[in-house]
Amino acid sequence: MCHHMRSAERRTDYARRAFLRGLAAAATVGATAGCLGDDPEPAQTEPPDPVSLGGGKACDACGMVIADHGGPSGQVFYAGDHPPDRDGPAWYDSLTELVIERDAAVDRGREPIGTYVTDYAAVDYEIRETAGDRIISSHVAPDAFVRWAEAAYAVETGVVGAMGPDLLPFSDRGAAESFVEAEGGRLVEADAVTADLVSSL
């Protein structure tokens, strides 16, 4: 039984890493393709407020319904650019996907004007045990989000999100340090988060 569970965990981890490697490869292809098309609209300096990621919204990277899965979620607003067929931000059920997709968009010439992520210092989160994983709760209301640069990120902890190991944001440094002390891992600042980092988690 234990061997079967370990094998299942290895398959899940392999699938997650393969998915992230695929996203990173797509980002590289996008970077070499360049950005052709209509002239961009004038840059917007102040991002709109975050939106709810409830109501059946599905992740723009993997298609999973965001509110149905644990872990941090995020949304990215771009200047003069929206996801196909809708206004507003691109949205994700994991920050690993958000970082890779946002980096790819920048390489294609897009300009992010606002990135928001779940703020675990602002919500009453829970950690539950499921199939051997410790999964942190999801929070999708607009007031559960903080601007990307205002958070410190716990990484390499024993707690996972929708796609496995993830970045866990906290707007309060003391709360972030307490989380790492309890759950392991380390803290990184927003400007230290790269696609290489999230692919290695």
Side-chain angles (χ1 to χ4, degrees), residues 6 9 12 35 42 48 53 57 65 69 76 95 103-104 109 115 144 158 167 183 189:
R6 285 195 298 271
E9 289 169 1
T12 300
C35 180
L53 297 188
K57 291 181 175 69
V65 175
H69 301 276
V76 184
L95 302 193
D103 283 4
T115 300
L167 310 162
E183 303 295 341
E189 303 302 325

Side-chain angles (χ1 to χ4, degrees), residues 4-21 64 130-133 135 160-165 201:
H4 175 74
M5 289 180 66
R6 285 195 298 271
S7 297
E9 289 169 1
R10 283 195 296 271
R11 287 194 300 271
T12 300
D13 185 61
Y14 176 81
R16 181 191 71 80
R17 290 179 184 275
F19 180 81
L20 292 175
R21 283 195 299 271
M64 297 196 311
T130 302
D133 286 328
I135 302 175
V160 303
M163 298 300 293
L201 294 178

Side-chain angles (χ1 to χ4, degrees), residues 39-133:
D39 292 334
E41 297 174 10
Q44 180 176 347
T45 57
E46 188 67 20
D49 292 332
V51 302
S52 169
L53 297 188
K57 291 181 175 69
C59 175
D60 284 324
C62 68
M64 297 196 311
V65 175
I66 296 170
D68 290 352
H69 301 276
S73 55
Q75 47 193 288
V76 184
F77 289 89
Y78 294 93
D81 176 55
H82 302 287
D85 304 322
R86 70 166 192 263
D87 289 335
W91 45 58
Y92 304 96
D93 67 353
S94 79
L95 302 193
T96 53
E97 293 168 318
L98 180 153
V99 170
I100 291 170
E101 294 270 312
R102 185 182 61 184
D103 283 4
V106 169
D107 288 339
R108 293 193 302 270
R110 304 304 189 200
E111 180 189 356
I113 59 170
T115 300
Y116 295 97
V117 294
T118 304
D119 181 7
Y120 283 106
V123 298
D124 292 326
Y125 64 85
E126 297 178 348
I127 298 173
R128 69 179 190 276
E129 298 271 353
T130 302
D133 286 328

Side-chain angles (χ1 to χ4, degrees), residues 143-164:
D143 61 1
F145 292 92
V146 65
R147 290 189 182 188
W148 173 266
E150 296 175 3
Y153 296 81
V155 299
E156 299 168 359
T157 72
V159 178
V160 303
M163 298 300 293

